Amino acid sequence: MDQQYIKEHKIGVPYEGFAEFTRKVAAEGVVLLKNDKNVLPLQKGEKVSLFGRAQINYYRTGTGSGGSVNVLYTSNIVEGLRTKKDVELNENLVSVYEEWIKENPFDDGGRAWAAEPHCQKEMPVTDELAKEAAKHSDKAIVIIGRNAGEDKDNTPGEGSFLLQQEEINTLETVTKYFDKVVVMLNVSNIINMSWAEDERFKDRIQSIIYVWEGGIEGGNAVADVLVGDVTPCGKLTDTIAYQLEDYPSHDNYGDADVNLYREDVYVGYRYFETFAPEKVQYEFGFGLSYTTFETSANAEVIVDKDSQSTIKLQVAVKNTGATYAGKESVQVYVEAPQGKLGQPAKKLVTFAKTKVLAPGEEQNLVIEFKVADLASYDDSGVTGHKSCMVLEAGEYGIYVGSSVRNCVRVAFKTSTGDKTGYVVDELEVVAQLQEALSPIKEFTRMKPGKRLDNGAYELTYEAVPTRSYSMKDRIEKNLPPTYPQTGNKGITLRDVADKKATMEEFIAQLTTAELATIVRGEGMCNVKVTPGTAAAFGGVGDSLFGYGIPLGCAADGPSGIRMEGGYKATQVPIGTLLAATWDAELIEEMYVFEGKELLRNEVDTLLGPGMNIRRHPLNGRNFEYFSEDPIITAKFATAQVKGILAGGSTGTLKHFACNNQEYRRSFVDAVVSERALREIYLKGFEVAVKEGGANSIMTTYNPLNGFWNASNYDLNTTVLRNEWGFNGIVMTDWWAKMNDPIEGGEGTATNTAAMVRSQNDLYMVVANDGAEINTWNDNTVESVKNGSLTIGELQRCAMNICEFLMHAPVFGRKQDFSSSVQFYSPMEKKVEDGEVVNIAKNNQVPMKENGNSIIEAKAGTYLLVGKVRNNKGNEAQSACKLLINGETALVMQVNGTDDKWTLIRLTRVELGDGQYEIGLSGMTDDMKIEHIEFRDIE
């Protein structure tokens, strides 16, 4: 795209009204954990002192591809509170922090990949400073900040999961001089909360509030909550245990090679409520309000014409407070009979949220769910129905309330009187499936034993069933047909869309080389699509484009559109906060704006939502995800996808599946039972496909039960397409590995034949302009020649890609790359003094880190090639702008090269006779560019 086109089409211009809507969402996701003596909200006329640098250096998002959005502004907490005229900030204290921050600037790690620290250096708070602040303030707010992200897990120590000593010192000093203290957590994920029980200051901290990371309008949203313009209504979507070691996954998390998911379906609250309720500090679903609510409910069973049973709940919610209006979430749980499978003590079934209720106002909600939703998967045959979703016999208790512990059992109205639950008289088979994705490694998993006096269950273990079928037979029996290759018959993809030809007739025209080309995406920062985005895919070769296959554009990520090079977009709150709203309808409405912004920026799929289960608190990418619970995950992923579709673009579900740690993420094998996969780790994806209409999915870096997910046949074909009916594209994560879908073995980035066989359609990514010439030297064509991959399998992936593109926004856009070479006029005024590089004599122009180079050129067309390096591993990402006469020529992207110099093809430019100024903008510390070579191609 040239700069004129970018300006005319408002590329990099945030969508109007989007930021304002995110402010509403950011406020509703705030979770109030403690509010003794109603210290919040701040009252009219009160004076408040802010402690902690996050009041100014507000964290709006996590790091990595999921958070790298260039924004017009970020509202911080100080700025937000300054707009509230009824309260008074201690501006003297703010000034102290502002001056200290000038001397101790925010450490962003040089904007290098995964280099930003988990926390920032904090200003020491002296007794004199706190004492003076207390003289002029009624209340103190101590703000604690944390961050993590892609390729950078949290750590168990101080300054990450634990408070750093300076933060403890601040709490101790501030609580010494202030009677009313609020602790605010501007964090991407839950942290250890043991300090809240610390005898030194626990009684003097009256309020604790998680404000998370609220995106572009986060600071304003926080201020809205602090002064009571918005009553907090967020709820936890993770359990906060007393210690990190209390989490059931802890002993099997963080390994370099293998993580055994021994907790099985007992993830998060499902474990704690079943086996260890005493280890919980704040339960799942918990969150306070400035007001109070009263909830009552009853249930009935409705049987439809197809004999499908639905449980219908009538729920009345009343605001019983006298002062503040507010919203309340209604959470529905089931206590299933233990049966032979074993069950968590409670499982979330569904949820809803009220409107804003004025004091004394009541709302009646109708909440329905299918009885089939209560079924569990039998992966061992212990019920007599292996590979089936079953309802075991017994009574299913339904609970309604505001958290997993603050809920009451609902009575069922029947013709013979009230009953205490839904009764299944004998086992019912809800769905007959087939064994898939089962582990090949033997291990044991948790299972409840006898019930103890305290209501919890004895923790026992049982052997996990291992694979009992032949993957070779499964693949060979389900090979797709091969359509005889006809050569070019003049059929275009538009003809298929207009029903003048079939997709099969169209794809039959493609040669083997063309089929191998279309399964390669190019990137990052491909100059033919929106600048600074993640990938171009589809018509990546001249012949493919000639068939009318458009060039689609994919862009990161879950928190908004990532466009390297400074192009602006709207940054939404992190996934943690979105889910904490417990309001899927609100999030769907917000993502309609996201869809419209994607459409404006000519992005055909956003690489999000991120929707992995938050198995352990230390996962660096937890901020992108929603919850430890699969139903929360399912509802919010579905909301995002539906919203984006309604706005005009598409979302890509990721990471499919079990991307639960960043350390060694391309190598560590997730070893998981089939039951846990189906009930926990795949459930969100399933619902987003079936109910949300998702048509794009990204697989993970890691292997699952021995098979890298980018080439996992059961994942991408057996379950996703054959069971769920998915109709769309599957892409790899960037520079992923694959291994043989039958034999397993080591993973490599060039085994695209395994990817194609498994029906992961797109390899993301090879170098720009590299798909057609196979710059990565992958094995696709070679595998066709040796018979280990069929033409039909390649054609199947090509059809998936073309079908997606026919229904993507790009199919309605005009694309013309015939005149894509940008002309640049020489500088009007020549440089007489200084060093000028005559590229006719020396075409390698040295690039200066803190300055520009001047070149003398003859009129002609030049191919620009850069000699670059990045000191990180292959998955690291860095970018900068290449400027010609101060104008952006392109956004250069360099992934990690392990500090080795490499050449990358950049772009073509047309120059006239004269001098040009060549420069770089936005270089990150991990990126070096030795020279730009101007190759005369005329």
Side-chain angles (χ1 to χ4, degrees):
M1 285 186 183
D2 61 40
Q3 295 303 306
Q4 184 64 29
Y5 183 95
I6 289 170
K7 184 177 180 179
E8 289 176 354
H9 290 78
K10 293 188 175 182
I11 304 296
V13 178
Y15 195 83
E16 295 78 15
F18 191 3
E20 291 80 1
F21 196 91
T22 69
R23 177 174 178 171
K24 177 181 179 180
V25 173
E28 292 211 12
V30 167
V31 179
L32 183 64
L33 292 186
K34 182 179 180 181
N35 200 29
D36 293 350
K37 302 177 182 178
N38 296 319
V39 71
L40 287 179
L42 303 175
Q43 299 299 309
K44 185 175 182 178
E46 285 188 327
K47 299 178 181 179
V48 62
S49 287
L50 302 181
F51 294 88
R53 71 180 299 155
Q55 62 182 287
I56 297 165
N57 296 143
Y58 172 78
Y59 284 114
R60 69 173 189 266
T61 190
T63 59
S65 62
S68 300
V69 181
N70 293 309
V71 296
L72 289 172
Y73 63 91
T74 299
S75 67
N76 65 33
I77 296 167
V78 167
E79 292 166 343
L81 282 173
R82 281 173 175 163
T83 68
K84 305 300 181 181
K85 302 306 180 185
D86 288 342
V87 297
E88 183 179 336
L89 269 181
N90 182 345
E91 291 287 358
N92 289 334
L93 182 58
V94 172
S95 296
V96 171
Y97 271 96
E98 288 174 337
E99 291 303 312
W100 184 85
I101 287 172
K102 289 179 183 178
E103 300 298 321
N104 299 271
F106 186 89
D107 180 5
D108 64 0
R111 297 187 301 110
W113 185 256
E116 184 180 308
H118 293 107
C119 69
Q120 298 292 315
K121 179 182 179 182
E122 277 293 349
M123 184 183 83
V125 176
T126 63
D127 283 79
E128 292 76 14
L129 184 66
K131 186 176 181 180
E132 181 65 21
K135 290 179 182 178
H136 304 283
S137 302
D138 302 290
K139 296 174 181 177
I141 300 176
V142 179
I143 306 164
I144 293 169
R146 285 292 182 279
N147 216 1
E150 185 173 5
D151 242 357
K152 192 176 183 69
D153 284 323
N154 296 285
T155 67
E158 293 184 4
S160 184
F161 191 65
L162 302 178
L163 296 193
Q164 54 182 322
Q165 187 57 51
E166 198 60 64
E167 291 164 337
I168 294 290
N169 295 343
T170 297
L171 290 178
E172 195 166 10
T173 304
V174 171
T175 55
K176 186 189 303 184
Y177 295 100
F178 282 84
D179 296 323
K180 298 176 181 178
V181 178
V182 177
V183 175
M184 180 187 297
L185 301 170
N186 173 207
V187 296
S188 62
N189 186 36
I190 59 172
I191 63 172
N192 178 270
M193 299 292 292
S194 59
W195 51 269
E197 306 291 331
D198 194 310
E199 293 294 338
R200 288 174 292 177
F201 40 72
K202 72 172 185 177
D203 293 332
R204 298 180 70 84
I205 296 175
Q206 281 81 30
S207 185
I208 301 172
I209 188 167
Y210 269 96
V211 300
W212 312 113
E213 296 171 350
I216 193 170
E217 281 285 337
N220 288 327
V222 169
D224 291 340
V225 173
L226 289 177
V227 302
D229 290 346
V230 176
T231 296
C233 57
K235 308 283 186 179
L236 292 175
T237 58
D238 295 301
T239 305
I240 298 180
Y242 282 103
Q243 301 297 332
L244 193 62
E245 295 76 16
D246 294 334
Y247 289 90
S249 59
H250 186 69
D251 290 341
N252 292 284
Y253 175 85
D255 192 82
D257 301 308
V258 177
N259 284 324
L260 302 176
Y261 285 45
R262 296 189 70 202
E263 71 277 10
D264 206 54
V265 297
Y266 302 95
V267 180
Y269 74 92
R270 297 177 183 221
Y271 164 81
F272 291 110
E273 301 306 310
T274 308
F275 301 113
E278 74 284 356
K279 294 181 179 180
V280 175
Q281 189 172 4
Y282 299 99
E283 77 267 22
F284 178 85
F286 178 76
L288 300 174
S289 173
Y290 294 156
T291 187
T292 55
F293 296 93
E294 183 180 88
T295 301
S296 60
N298 59 67
E300 61 179 318
V301 179
I302 300 172
V303 181
D304 65 20
K305 61 182 180 179
D306 298 319
S307 299
Q308 297 295 312
S309 296
T310 296
I311 293 176
K312 180 179 180 180
L313 297 170
Q314 301 277 359
V315 183
V317 183
K318 183 177 182 179
N319 181 346
T320 55
T323 306
Y324 297 102
K327 292 183 176 183
E328 176 68 313
S329 67
V330 177
Q331 304 169 27
V332 182
Y333 297 88
V334 63
E335 181 182 12
Q338 286 296 316
K340 294 179 179 179
L341 289 173
Q343 297 288 348
K346 284 194 180 73
K347 297 188 291 187
L348 184 70
V349 180
T350 189
F351 57 91
K353 197 164 187 178
T354 69
K355 64 180 183 179
V356 176
L357 298 176
E361 186 178 5
E362 183 173 308
Q363 183 180 0
N364 295 311
L365 300 174
V366 176
I367 302 173
E368 296 183 348
F369 59 91
K370 296 175 182 177
V371 170
D373 294 342
L374 308 181
S376 298
Y377 186 73
D378 182 359
D379 59 2
S380 68
V382 65
T383 68
H385 299 276
K386 189 176 188 296
S387 303
C388 290
M389 297 296 298
V390 299
L391 288 165
E392 292 198 81
E395 186 173 74
Y396 290 73
I398 304 300
Y399 293 78
V400 172
S402 59
S403 77
V404 72
R405 293 190 174 176
N406 185 27
C407 57
V408 296
R409 192 158 179 155
V410 177
F412 278 72
K413 294 185 177 298
T414 71
S415 58
T416 58
D418 288 355
K419 293 186 178 180
T420 57
Y422 177 82
V423 177
V424 176
D425 293 322
E426 58 182 33
L427 182 143
E428 296 178 14
V429 175
V430 171
Q432 173 68 64
L433 304 175
Q434 65 176 320
E435 181 185 341
L437 292 165
S438 41
I440 54 178
K441 185 180 185 68
E442 294 183 351
F443 68 110
T444 58
R445 63 182 174 190
M446 294 180 180
K447 186 178 182 181
K450 64 181 180 180
R451 195 151 201 175
L452 306 175
D453 292 340
N454 66 356
Y457 288 86
E458 175 190 16
L459 177 58
T460 67
Y461 288 86
E462 66 175 5
V464 174
T466 54
R467 183 196 288 178
S468 63
Y469 59 94
S470 166
M471 183 62 75
K472 182 175 185 293
D473 290 347
R474 175 169 291 177
I475 292 175
E476 291 179 351
K477 287 178 181 178
N478 291 282
L479 286 174
T482 293
Y483 301 100
Q485 292 169 291
T486 63
N488 190 340
K489 296 290 186 181
I491 303 170
T492 65
L493 191 58
R494 175 60 63 184
D495 293 329
V496 179
D498 292 341
K499 302 190 183 307
K500 295 177 181 178
T502 66
M503 181 65 79
E504 290 79 6
E505 290 170 331
F506 173 72
I507 292 297
Q509 299 176 108
L510 303 187
T511 66
T512 302
E514 289 168 335
L515 291 167
T517 299
I518 201 172
V519 299
R520 303 173 187 131
E522 293 183 349
M524 299 173 71
C525 304
N526 190 294
V527 296
K528 294 180 181 179
V529 295
T530 303
T533 52
F537 62 97
V540 289
D542 290 340
S543 62
L544 293 174
F545 191 74
Y547 278 115
I549 301 173
L551 200 59
C553 176
D556 294 313
S559 293
I561 308 172
R562 175 191 181 193
M563 293 178 283
E564 297 286 6
Y567 298 98
K568 302 298 191 291
T570 305
Q571 186 146 52
V572 303
I574 61 173
T576 309
L577 185 151
L578 300 183
T581 66
W582 288 70
D583 193 339
E585 292 180 1
L586 178 70
I587 303 311
E588 181 176 338
E589 190 177 355
M590 184 181 75
Y591 271 84
V592 174
F593 281 101
E594 186 69 77
K596 291 178 179 179
E597 190 163 288
L598 289 163
L599 199 61
R600 168 178 288 180
N601 286 282
E602 301 191 0
V603 175
D604 299 292
T605 188
L606 182 75
L607 302 178
M611 50 185 298
N612 292 97
I613 296 297
R614 296 208 289 245
R615 178 177 177 248
H616 192 276
L618 295 188
N619 185 4
R621 296 187 87 166
N622 277 348
F623 81 95
E624 297 184 36
Y625 308 147
F626 300 120
S627 177
E628 66 190 21
D629 178 76
I631 302 304
I632 290 281
T633 300
K635 295 284 189 182
F636 282 96
T638 298
Q640 287 194 21
V641 169
K642 290 173 69 175
I644 293 172
L645 286 170
S649 192
T650 63
T652 296
L653 310 180
K654 68 178 189 181
H655 305 88
F656 194 49
C658 296
N659 185 71
N660 297 118
Q661 74 177 47
E662 289 300 286
Y663 171 59
R664 295 263 301 172
R665 59 181 177 165
S666 292
F667 302 94
V668 62
D669 188 10
V671 180
V672 195
S673 79
E674 191 185 359
R675 181 185 178 190
L677 283 169
R678 290 185 178 275
E679 293 188 24
I680 305 292
Y681 297 100
L682 300 184
K683 177 58 69 176
F685 292 95
E686 179 183 5
V687 175
V689 167
K690 290 181 175 179
E691 298 180 13
N695 62 355
S696 180
I697 288 180
M698 181 199 296
T699 50
T700 66
Y701 286 118
N702 62 281
L704 170 61
N705 289 330
F707 296 88
W708 266 263
N709 282 330
S711 56
N712 192 318
Y713 183 88
D714 269 351
L715 186 70
N716 297 308
T717 296
T718 306
V719 173
L720 175 63
R721 299 181 191 273
N722 296 348
E723 285 189 12
W724 299 351
F726 175 76
N727 182 22
I729 54 169
V730 180
M731 64 185 73
T732 70
D733 208 335
W734 271 227
W735 314 293
K737 294 179 171 63
M738 293 77 64
N739 66 347
D740 189 278
I742 296 172
E743 302 297 334
E746 289 300 311
T748 67
T750 56
N751 192 359
T752 47
M755 176 196 80
V756 170
R757 168 148 285 189
S758 299
Q759 212 175 167
N760 187 333
D761 307 299
L762 270 168
Y763 186 82
M764 294 293 204
V765 289
V766 301
N768 292 321
D769 296 321
E772 203 166 25
I773 60 175
N774 192 16
T775 53
W776 276 47
N777 196 30
D778 68 45
N779 67 351
T780 304
V781 174
E782 173 192 345
S783 298
V784 171
K785 290 178 179 178
N786 66 30
S788 59
L789 181 70
T790 69
I791 293 291
E793 290 170 296
L794 264 173
Q795 290 173 329
R796 179 174 62 183
C797 288
M799 286 190 284
N800 291 338
I801 294 166
C802 289
E803 187 71 33
F804 174 87
L805 288 168
M806 273 202 318
H807 297 92
V810 67
F811 208 60
R813 294 196 299 267
K814 183 180 179 180
Q815 289 187 316
D816 182 7
F817 304 129
S818 59
S819 58
S820 59
V821 178
Q822 178 75 18
F823 174 76
Y824 294 90
S825 299
M827 296 188 298
E828 292 183 3
K829 186 176 181 180
K830 277 196 170 188
V831 174
E832 302 297 339
D833 300 321
E835 185 178 344
V836 177
V837 180
N838 188 329
I839 60 174
K841 298 178 180 179
N842 175 19
N843 67 355
Q844 294 182 356
V845 180
M847 300 309 298
K848 302 174 182 178
E849 290 189 22
N850 298 302
N852 299 325
S853 296
I854 305 298
I855 67 168
E856 184 82 35
K858 290 185 177 181
T861 302
Y862 295 86
L863 172 66
L864 274 55
V865 176
K867 185 175 182 180
V868 303
R869 71 180 182 187
N870 180 295
N871 61 20
K872 302 293 180 63
N874 183 64
E875 293 156 15
Q877 302 164 28
S878 57
C880 69
K881 283 184 177 180
L882 175 65
L883 307 176
I884 299 179
N885 292 345
E887 182 180 344
T888 300
L890 82 158
V891 179
M892 296 175 55
Q893 189 276 333
V894 181
N895 58 301
T897 66
D898 291 314
D899 214 25
K900 298 175 182 176
W901 290 106
T902 187
L903 296 177
I904 61 171
R905 176 174 170 156
L906 300 176
T907 189
R908 296 181 181 189
V909 297
E910 185 179 350
L911 305 179
D913 286 324
Q915 289 184 350
Y916 293 83
E917 184 180 49
I918 310 300
L920 301 171
S921 173
M923 287 273 289
T924 56
D925 283 0
D926 54 355
M927 183 181 186
K928 301 294 180 186
I929 301 176
E930 182 184 86
H931 66 254
I932 302 294
E933 184 178 348
F934 285 70
R935 296 181 181 178
D936 191 344
I937 55 176
E938 284 193 349

